[in-house]
Amino acid sequence: MTEAEEAQLSELETRFRQGEIRALARALTLAEAGHPLGQALLKRLRGQAQAKVVGITGSPGAGKSTLTDRLILEARKRGEKVGVLAVDPSSPFTGGAILGDRIRMMRHHQDPGVYIRSLASRGALGGLAGATVAALNLLEAFGFHRIFVETVGVGQSEVDIARVADTTLLVLTPAAGDAIQAFKAGVMEIADLFAVNKFDLPGGERLVQELKGALELSPPRPGGWRPPIFPTVAATGEGVEALFEGLEAHHRHLVAHGLLESHRLERTRFEVESVIQEWGRRKTQAAEALVARVAKGELSPEEAALALLLGPEAQEGLP
């Protein structure tokens, strides 16, 4: 790092530690872009604070953003500083996010105790990109007490959130086929709590009973936790206070059973894996000749991957 870059880093770190919101925004932009300055700053700030991290997932249209908006209100009533990472679907062409979640949380934009940031999913299959974890670490270091991570909402594949959040909330709605989706492997197992949102629609009570039946058959959770089910109507705020208390109960359970540390280690493992995946994606895109040889049957995918991993010398030794 040059002297100029070192000076720039020190200035940004000073402003960040002083609580300057523009410094936070700049740090998040650098981290999301994978800029070396952002990586260096994150290295200095990592692990200096702990927030209550809540992941909110569910099918598109389940009301996740509206429910998050209500949960922010509950947290603010308790004097908590709240950060929100809203992971929006990103364009496969431009990589940009549509920012729809921020539109639904406009009422908080003038509240200095709330910071909302939209992130692009970058095409990550699990609905999260590694940059999400970097952003989460920066929000923690900035001193937010609670961080909500609202994911894209792509159904079954959206299980990465359970590796990132301390508490995972799965939002379902009646009469939308969500019960069947929830029972499929992967999604049912990640939830620490369930919210049956839009409970005023027909089929709400039936969905609750179906969930209870499914939970009877699910394997035991760490520490013996039994995921509770909360009927909510996010549009009116009905049931949201009870849901927030459920989030608090799960956090107390994690603390009481010494499970928080393992959650943090798993989050870091996910972050490292995401870096490796992104590295592999870029390497593969730049190795068209090697990929073409796999397509022709001259190499196996394993041989090609190993050659990319080991570098040019290994590629020269290929058959």
Side-chain angles (χ1 to χ4, degrees), residues 14 19 31 67-68 72 107 121-122 130 163 171 201 210 214 232-233 241 269 271 314 317:
T14 299
L67 193 59
T68 303
I72 293 169
R107 79 167 96 189
S121 64
R122 307 289 186 198
R163 301 181 63 190
V171 184
L201 296 178
E210 288 176 344
T232 62
V233 182
E241 184 176 357
R269 185 177 291 110
E271 188 176 7

Side-chain angles (χ1 to χ4, degrees), residues 110-258:
Q110 299 301 316
D111 184 348
V114 178
Y115 185 82
I116 301 170
R117 177 82 174 202
S118 287
L119 296 173
S121 64
R122 307 289 186 198
L125 289 177
L128 290 179
T132 306
V133 186
L136 177 58
N137 287 321
L138 286 171
L139 289 179
E140 273 196 319
F142 200 74
F144 288 100
H145 303 116
R146 187 179 300 269
I147 301 170
F148 293 107
V149 183
E150 186 199 324
T151 60
V152 176
V154 292
Q156 239 179 304
S157 64
E158 197 170 358
V159 295
D160 284 345
I161 186 61
R163 301 181 63 190
V164 171
D166 301 325
T167 300
T168 302
L169 170 64
L170 179 59
V171 184
L172 304 172
T173 55
D178 272 351
I180 302 301
Q181 288 296 326
F183 300 154
K184 292 183 179 179
V187 178
M188 193 72 181
E189 285 81 356
I190 68 171
D192 300 305
L193 299 92
F194 292 88
V196 177
N197 195 32
K198 304 181 183 180
F199 191 69
D200 50 341
L201 296 178
E205 192 58 51
R206 177 186 170 188
L207 176 54
V208 170
Q209 295 306 316
E210 288 176 344
L211 284 172
K212 287 180 178 177
L215 287 170
E216 293 283 334
L217 304 174
S218 63
R221 306 297 174 90
W225 174 258
R226 298 181 65 83
I229 304 165
F230 296 92
T232 62
V233 182
T236 63
E238 181 182 340
V240 175
E241 184 176 357
L243 174 59
F244 191 91
E245 291 302 327
L247 297 176
E248 289 285 78
H250 183 255
H251 189 267
R252 289 193 295 270
H253 172 84
L254 293 177
V255 173
H257 290 82

